[in-house]
Amino acid sequence: MRTLLFLFACLLDTALFAGKPANLPGTPGAPGNYEVKSPDGSLVVHIQAGAQLQWSADQDGQPVILPSAIGLQLQTGETLGANVKITDAKTENVNTDFTPINYKKSTIHDQYAQLTLNCKGDYSIIFRVYNDAVAYRFVTKRNGELIIKNEEANFNFAADDRAFIPIQWDYRRGKIFNSSFENLYREINLSQWPKDSLAFLPLLVDIGANKKVVILESDLDDYPGMYLDLNATRGLIRASDSVRWGLKGVYAPYPLDAALAGINYIPGSRAGYIAKTTGSRNFPWRVIAISRQDKDLLSQDIVQKLAAPPKLSDVSWIKPGQVAWDWWNNWNITHVDFKAGINTETYKYYIDFAAANHLQYIVMDEGWSNDLDLFKVSRNIDLQQIIDYGKQKGIGVILWATWYAINRQMDSVFPHYAAMGVKGFKIDFIDRDDQVAIASTYVIAQKAAAAKLLVDYHGTSKPTGLPRTWPNVIGYEGVKGLENFKWADEDQPRYVVSIPFIRMMAGPMDYTPGAMRNATKATYRPVNNNPMAKGTRCQQLAEYIVFDAPLQMLSDNPTIYMKEQECTDFIASIPTTFDETVPLDGKVGEYLALAHRKGKDWFVGAMTNWDAREITIDCSFLPEGHYVAEVFKDGVNADRDATDYKKETIRIQRGGKLTIRLAPGGGWAAHIRPV
């Protein structure tokens, strides 16, 4: 039925061929239909240019996106994408490789077919078709300024499909478009979309036949982030006799002013448009990624591929690594001769721990300074002494800061603290993704890079390619991380086997794993000062392998890590960037298994939701040879005591198969070395 509906809705006037557009009836300026095929020919995009610009896509003959209108509505009343007059159509086939920086792969293969439609009115639309993704963007070439009243971006589906929907819920000060961007997925049909609710990206839709579609965006420079909602008729669109369920893009209006609300900087009023920008520019890519198997989503690179290339020529000073972090564990170190807290002695202790375990950094979180003035340092902190002590031990110091303070003070703060020896800033409570907020993240990245400072964005929306464009941005939250489970009794194990297939496709994800107090469903309770995590110890270990985070936190306190030295040694052995990524198995929301290579060593992580299960790992990803694996697996009593685990050393070789038993909320982690 899906295919029949799709063919009816997408009926074209002529047969077209891969990468070759047909402009009908063939004269410049006339409306027409165009077709672009992926390099392997399996994914086909159809473009209808006429009274309304529309696109649709099918893969293996199955509808993926039904005809969906796109356009840029200008404040002047003109709409780019309406009454389209094509002046020129150009095709291009690209097949190349590039080297990402601080990523899960050392090489990304970039192959696609591209169609550029140049239109009367000094604008263009570019479509790129990959074997597993489709992207399009508008490009304008006009003088002066453009005011974008709205952007029409639609994603119409053939049926009332099941989806993983990250609904916005925690409005800051009760205002929409202001939130922490931390949310669980509502696993519902599109028809069950909550009334008057918006969803963040990325969002996953199950279109049947084992195919998943993930909606994303990339190269979001000087432009608001996209939310999704059902279309104006709450999903029902009639095109002849076909019925489609449609999602539409929604954007935060341009903020006209803002005021402090605690440490949030919240707009008081917004304009009747979404962006005020230069007339000659590339607009963001609108993207769908498609998988035939869920596991394929674990190695997707589409946001990296579409991001603007690096702005930095020298990246030698940008060092990824692991971080001893203070806030989650509430500075709760013990068995010391000083009062633990936000003071010099405590941070020297964190530095000693980091050095002893070969970590690279510590974070000094909220409390080292005034939240609104970064030059007002706590009287209990001798910052220069801490920085110098860290330098002696080979440990860098990263400082927490509010976005409000950084925006006001970065021109003086960055050079000042860089001169003291600070290595970077963790910038928190952005809590917006309107045009002003997004533009600010680019400016901060640029000015931090000028001072050779790293940036870790928190309280922010998902990444959209900025870590490629400005590689000193090596951390991004935009996820309901471990910190939430200091106070929230929610389904953590199901979430952690969902986000690698969805949120992680957007880019690095500072989830901050590492809890050493592990709980079953029955034993978990929220505790702020000595927090625990749902799921087993081995699930926490596996998260260090599975979750992409060039700047990876050890969230628990040094005292407990030293008591659990066997696990700490394993965590410290795991790199934060890799040379190769191989998805092994998985199903969204249920389980996954993933392998990474760094040099000649391999790291394999597997995790499950609350269902105990047994999975088989095929070791054919290993090169020829013999290997020894250090394995951490759930103990036989992990279903009763989630801290129960067993460490063992096994020998394996290419082509061998490993049977893994995962406890409820369980995990499995291995470091594999050649012998």
Side-chain angles (χ1 to χ4, degrees):
M1 176 61 71
R2 290 172 180 265
T3 302
L4 291 174
L5 292 175
F6 178 74
L7 292 175
F8 181 84
C10 297
L11 189 62
L12 300 178
D13 295 326
T14 187
L16 308 173
F17 51 96
K20 302 291 187 178
N23 190 320
L24 304 177
T27 57
N33 297 328
Y34 300 81
E35 182 181 277
V36 190
K37 287 186 178 180
S38 61
D40 68 1
S42 67
L43 181 55
V44 186
V45 172
H46 312 274
I47 301 103
Q48 297 168 304
Q52 176 68 63
L53 186 66
Q54 296 187 88
W55 71 288
S56 57
D58 63 280
Q59 186 183 59
D60 307 323
Q62 178 185 353
V64 176
I65 299 293
L66 274 73
S68 300
I70 61 176
L72 284 180
Q73 300 169 8
L74 307 186
Q75 186 80 339
T76 59
E78 179 185 3
T79 296
L80 310 185
N83 299 312
V84 182
K85 301 293 189 296
I86 306 297
T87 60
D88 185 37
K90 296 181 180 179
T91 59
E92 183 180 6
N93 293 294
V94 173
N95 188 357
T96 188
D97 294 324
F98 68 88
T99 302
I101 300 166
N102 297 325
Y103 193 57
K104 60 187 177 185
K105 301 176 182 178
S106 59
T107 301
I108 290 178
H109 184 56
D110 196 17
Q111 183 180 16
Y112 56 87
Q114 178 167 294
L115 168 67
T116 301
L117 298 175
N118 296 313
C119 305
K120 185 178 180 181
D122 297 322
Y123 73 96
S124 306
I125 308 99
I126 301 174
F127 285 87
R128 285 188 184 177
V129 185
Y130 298 78
N131 293 335
D132 57 0
V134 178
Y136 74 85
R137 79 184 324 171
F138 282 86
V139 177
T140 54
K141 298 178 182 178
R142 297 187 174 189
N143 296 324
E145 183 180 73
L146 283 181
I147 296 179
I148 310 300
K149 183 176 182 180
N150 194 25
E151 177 183 344
E152 186 171 12
N154 290 286
F155 304 88
N156 291 330
F157 294 93
D160 184 14
D161 295 315
R162 196 78 174 166
F164 281 65
I165 303 174
I167 293 291
Q168 182 189 23
W169 62 276
D170 61 332
Y171 298 157
R172 294 302 199 214
R173 303 292 166 171
K175 294 194 174 185
I176 194 170
F177 302 118
N178 300 275
S179 71
S180 65
F181 301 94
E182 299 170 314
N183 43 358
L184 299 177
Y185 297 107
R186 298 199 193 181
E187 299 171 39
I188 55 179
N189 286 16
L190 294 175
S191 63
Q192 297 171 306
W193 194 287
K195 186 177 180 180
D196 300 323
S197 296
L198 299 178
F200 303 132
L201 300 183
L203 180 152
L204 181 146
V205 180
D206 183 344
I207 63 169
N210 211 34
K211 284 187 171 66
K212 305 294 191 299
V213 175
V214 179
I215 303 174
L216 302 130
E217 59 185 345
S218 186
D219 203 16
L220 186 67
D221 186 2
D222 192 30
Y223 201 79
M226 183 166 70
Y227 299 78
L228 290 174
D229 191 7
L230 288 188
N231 57 52
T233 55
R234 306 301 299 164
L236 227 50
I237 304 175
R238 295 196 176 275
S240 298
D241 293 328
S242 66
V243 177
R244 294 173 284 170
W245 286 90
L247 301 180
K248 67 173 183 178
V250 178
Y251 316 86
Y254 187 88
L256 297 174
D257 54 40
L260 271 175
I263 55 177
N264 293 108
Y265 196 45
I266 305 296
S269 59
R270 293 183 180 272
Y273 52 85
I274 64 172
K276 183 189 299 184
T277 188
T278 179
S280 183
R281 60 162 295 169
N282 297 327
F283 286 83
W285 290 103
R286 305 305 178 203
V287 187
I288 61 165
I290 309 150
S291 67
R292 292 186 177 90
Q293 302 178 80
D294 288 11
K295 71 175 185 177
D296 297 340
L297 299 173
L298 299 173
S299 61
Q300 251 282 0
D301 306 307
I302 189 64
V303 172
Q304 273 271 331
K305 291 174 180 176
L306 295 168
K311 302 283 189 180
L312 298 173
S313 55
D314 176 20
V315 296
S316 61
W317 58 273
I318 301 172
K319 305 293 186 185
Q322 294 181 331
V323 186
W325 181 37
D326 53 2
W327 182 87
W328 192 78
N329 57 78
N330 203 33
W331 299 266
N332 267 328
I333 58 177
T334 57
H335 300 87
V336 295
D337 297 325
F338 55 86
K339 194 70 173 174
I342 304 172
N343 56 50
T344 301
E345 292 82 1
T346 297
Y347 282 115
K348 290 174 74 173
Y349 182 90
Y350 276 81
I351 288 170
D352 288 339
F353 163 73
N357 290 279
H358 310 292
L359 312 183
Q360 287 71 46
Y361 301 99
I362 69 163
V363 164
M364 296 177 63
D365 214 285
E366 184 176 15
W368 72 271
S369 74
N370 181 282
D371 288 344
L372 307 180
D373 186 345
L374 299 176
F375 288 109
K376 292 182 178 179
V377 179
S378 167
R379 65 177 181 272
N380 298 319
I381 294 290
D382 185 334
L383 188 57
Q384 190 64 67
Q385 182 184 154
I386 293 169
I387 293 167
D388 292 344
Y389 188 72
K391 187 180 297 184
Q392 294 170 20
K393 298 277 188 171
I395 302 299
V397 174
I398 295 171
L399 301 176
W400 179 92
T402 62
W403 178 58
Y404 175 81
I406 287 291
N407 263 333
R408 290 175 60 243
Q409 297 182 309
M410 70 178 115
D411 288 336
S412 52
V413 158
F414 285 167
H416 172 78
Y417 285 111
M420 288 180 67
V422 168
K423 297 300 182 182
F425 279 87
K426 174 183 174 180
I427 300 169
D428 206 349
F429 289 96
I430 299 173
D431 293 337
R432 295 160 43 189
D433 65 348
D434 51 48
Q435 183 189 11
V436 170
I438 294 297
S440 170
T441 63
Y442 279 77
V443 172
I444 289 169
Q446 180 179 8
K447 292 187 176 183
K452 294 192 173 179
L453 291 170
L454 305 176
V455 175
D456 178 16
Y457 283 124
H458 268 243
T460 189
S461 56
K462 79 287 174 190
T464 57
L466 182 57
R468 183 186 177 199
T469 308
W470 290 102
N472 59 313
V473 178
I474 62 172
Y476 249 95
E477 196 178 23
V479 66
K480 195 174 183 67
L482 190 70
E483 69 174 41
N484 281 263
F485 298 96
K486 286 166 70 87
W487 57 79
D489 187 359
E490 296 173 327
D491 192 347
Q492 191 174 16
R494 187 167 184 84
Y495 186 63
V496 300
V497 293
S498 300
I499 49 179
F501 300 94
I502 307 172
R503 161 60 183 84
M504 208 164 73
M505 286 184 61
M509 185 178 69
D510 198 2
Y511 181 87
T512 68
M516 294 291 105
R517 283 170 293 273
N518 314 107
T520 64
K521 272 186 181 181
T523 60
Y524 173 81
R525 62 188 177 93
V527 182
N528 183 71
N529 290 342
N530 281 293
M532 62 182 74
K534 288 186 178 181
T536 69
R537 170 70 55 80
C538 289
Q539 183 167 99
Q540 290 293 309
L541 301 184
E543 288 173 3
Y544 282 93
I545 296 170
V546 172
F547 292 164
D548 293 340
L551 193 68
Q552 183 67 278
M553 305 291 159
L554 276 71
S555 62
D556 223 319
N557 76 66
T559 304
I560 195 170
Y561 280 127
M562 288 187 285
K563 290 178 181 177
E564 302 283 355
Q565 194 61 50
E566 188 172 63
C567 293
T568 304
D569 288 343
F570 182 78
I571 291 170
S573 75
I574 302 169
T576 64
T577 62
F578 298 95
D579 298 322
E580 186 178 353
T581 294
V582 181
L584 302 175
D585 198 0
K587 189 172 181 180
V588 179
E590 297 190 18
Y591 70 96
L592 63 90
L594 178 69
H596 287 302
R597 179 180 61 82
K598 186 75 169 185
K600 294 183 178 180
D601 287 13
W602 287 85
F603 300 83
V604 181
M607 304 189 297
T608 184
N609 57 17
W610 282 123
D611 295 330
R613 70 181 74 240
E614 185 176 285
I615 63 175
T616 299
I617 289 183
D618 184 343
C619 295
S620 59
F621 63 88
L622 294 170
E624 292 294 342
H626 296 273
Y627 298 83
V628 62
E630 179 186 38
V631 173
F632 283 74
K633 64 182 185 180
D634 293 328
V636 294
N637 293 305
D639 60 333
R640 302 177 63 181
D641 180 350
T643 65
D644 186 31
Y645 72 89
K646 182 178 180 180
K647 177 187 174 185
E648 61 183 11
T649 300
I650 61 175
R651 290 185 175 271
I652 56 177
Q653 62 186 34
R654 176 182 170 85
K657 289 183 170 55
L658 298 174
T659 299
I660 295 174
R661 293 177 177 85
L662 301 170
W668 187 93
H671 181 178
I672 303 172
R673 301 177 177 90
V675 292

